[in-house]
Amino acid sequence: MRLVGQVLTNAIERKRSQEALRESEKKYRSIFDNAQVGMFRTRMGDGKVVDCNDRFAKNYGYESRQACIENFDASERYVDPDDRKKT
């Protein structure tokens, strides 16, 4: 009986953790998507954009986020390209 209780407790905790993670992701996405400034995330190695908000895409002349993600290269925008290598 003790083992059943432990399994149930673990299942309940896992469910709570998953719900908390979903809520956190929802909050992050809302802040990111609705920001009044352009925001983006890149891969560290090559500067490839992996996500951006609409404001960022529009600021750089793209009609959609997807077009921006597919074409924008952050590594080309550094005043000193060696700065990217330092991070």
Side-chain angles (χ1 to χ4, degrees):
M1 197 63 169
R2 186 179 226 172
L3 180 59
V4 172
Q6 186 63 39
V7 169
L8 262 168
T9 299
N10 288 346
I12 291 168
E13 283 301 314
R14 187 175 326 109
K15 184 76 171 168
R16 285 181 183 156
S17 294
Q18 290 170 343
E19 182 59 31
L21 180 59
R22 273 192 294 278
E23 284 300 313
S24 178
E25 289 173 347
K26 184 178 174 182
K27 183 177 179 181
Y28 163 80
R29 181 53 56 191
S30 177
I31 292 168
F32 185 82
D33 289 344
N34 296 306
Q36 295 300 306
V37 296
M39 298 174 70
F40 69 108
R41 293 185 312 122
T42 67
R43 292 190 303 222
M44 288 300 294
D46 62 2
K48 175 78 174 113
V49 172
V50 295
D51 198 7
C52 71
N53 63 5
D54 288 330
R55 178 72 63 178
F56 182 83
K58 287 178 185 174
N59 285 348
Y60 284 93
Y62 295 98
E63 291 191 24
S64 70
R65 286 179 175 188
Q66 193 57 39
C68 184
I69 290 168
E70 291 171 1
N71 297 295
F72 190 87
D73 185 352
S75 66
E76 296 174 352
R77 310 295 176 157
Y78 278 74
V79 173
D80 181 358
D82 288 333
D83 283 347
R84 183 160 191 84
K85 295 174 187 173
K86 294 176 187 175
T87 57

